[in-house]
Amino acid sequence: MKQHRVSLKDLADQLGVSIATVSRALRGSHEVGEEMRAKVKALAKQLNYRPNPFAQSLRKEAPRVIGVVVPNLVTHYFAAVLDGIEEYALQQGYSVFSSNSHENHEREKQAIDNFISMHVEGIIACLAQDTVDYAHFKEIHEMGIPLVFFARTCLPELFSQVVANGDIAAQEATQHLIDNGCRRIAFIGGPNHLDMVKRRKHGYLEALRENRIPIERELVACGKIDFDVARNATLALLDSPNPPDAILAFNDIVTYAAFDAIKSRGLNIPDDVAIIGFTDGDTAAFVTPKLSAIMDQAHVQGMKACELLMKNINGDHKIYKEVIPMILKIRDSSVKHSAQ
């Protein structure tokens, strides 16, 4: 059986202190009392703790490395953000290590722990959809490790963030659908606790209010960000007694799930059901009909997130909030022929 390598976290858990305290104690920092330093060193010897040799080489040879945690690396959006981060990091002489949380809180925490052990100079992160406990990020703040959030964020009082103007973009997209004669517009989103979902849903609801269109709860389906979940939610809406005549979809996965569901029912897009999705992938222009899209400018978001991280690494501790405007690209899927 593979032996478990004792980590800083293991020592911290046993002693009931933070990883930061253990790390400082092992370095002999004056910030930790003599008694605690002795306790930490004694436990480290007892458990045969060995510093990560990779981390040691990082400190000695000083390559500049940052870590990036994304929820789903295979989607176009996160791949494009990572591309922007890598481009900016390279310009600054940094390498990028990325980790995929697979939308899982525990894997996100593990990724953060790994980056701490590797002594990266800073971290860029986007929350997994089931993350509601932010203790691991608070610990990052206590350790003084620079961190910037993008897209799905938390703890705005502690960390800089880069987000899109999803509320305004959703409002514009919903208004476009209304202008094309749609009156029963559904919103298919993700978990309600995510700030990104809240922003986009808010814009959708504001457009309905401004046009005095009644808000119907049954037309709002917010659940797990998953292709099958979103497809089933769309099918349930389409099969209801009063189905929607348009759909605003939260992201790439939800958009193509809804698109597939509409097609599977033999309905015409856009005349039976119009659709606009939050996606800036090239495939939006290659499906039939061509998909109207709210484009994230994901590459720009990645560049900006890395820029803010570099500011933090270089001693600027101001907390920034950068809002990157989205672009509404109207194609065939949202323009009803009856409205032309």
Side-chain angles (χ1 to χ4, degrees), residues 167-217:
D167 51 347
I168 295 171
Q171 187 168 353
E172 289 177 353
T174 306
Q175 186 63 53
H176 162 73
L177 292 168
I178 293 169
D179 292 344
N180 273 267
C182 302
R183 291 298 178 269
R184 292 185 53 76
I185 303 169
F187 176 78
I188 304 178
N192 280 309
H193 68 270
L194 292 176
D195 59 328
M196 177 190 273
V197 175
K198 292 176 182 176
R199 288 193 296 271
R200 296 179 181 185
K201 185 164 65 172
H202 175 75
Y204 155 79
L205 295 173
E206 280 299 295
L208 297 183
R209 290 188 189 102
E210 284 193 2
N211 290 271
R212 298 182 180 177
I213 295 174
I215 294 170
E216 301 179 54
R217 286 188 176 182

Side-chain angles (χ1 to χ4, degrees), residues 10 18 34 45 74 83 100 123 127 170 172 201 215 270 293 327:
D10 295 327
S18 70
E34 186 176 343
K45 184 175 181 180
V74 300
D83 190 61
N100 190 347
I123 297 171
L127 295 178
E172 289 177 353
K201 185 164 65 172
I215 294 170
I327 300 168

Side-chain angles (χ1 to χ4, degrees), residues 50-105:
R50 297 184 180 184
N52 186 325
F54 180 71
Q56 287 186 319
S57 71
L58 286 183
R59 288 194 295 274
K60 288 176 183 175
E61 298 171 21
R64 319 303 299 270
V65 179
I66 63 171
V68 181
V69 186
V70 298
N72 190 343
L73 194 50
V74 300
T75 66
H76 179 274
Y77 170 74
F78 290 115
V81 171
L82 184 59
D83 190 61
I85 292 170
E86 289 180 338
E87 181 176 330
Y88 194 91
L90 183 63
Q91 294 170 5
Q92 304 299 313
Y94 279 76
S95 296
V96 177
F97 290 167
S98 61
S99 183
N100 190 347
S101 72
H102 297 273
E103 297 283 13
N104 181 274
H105 174 68

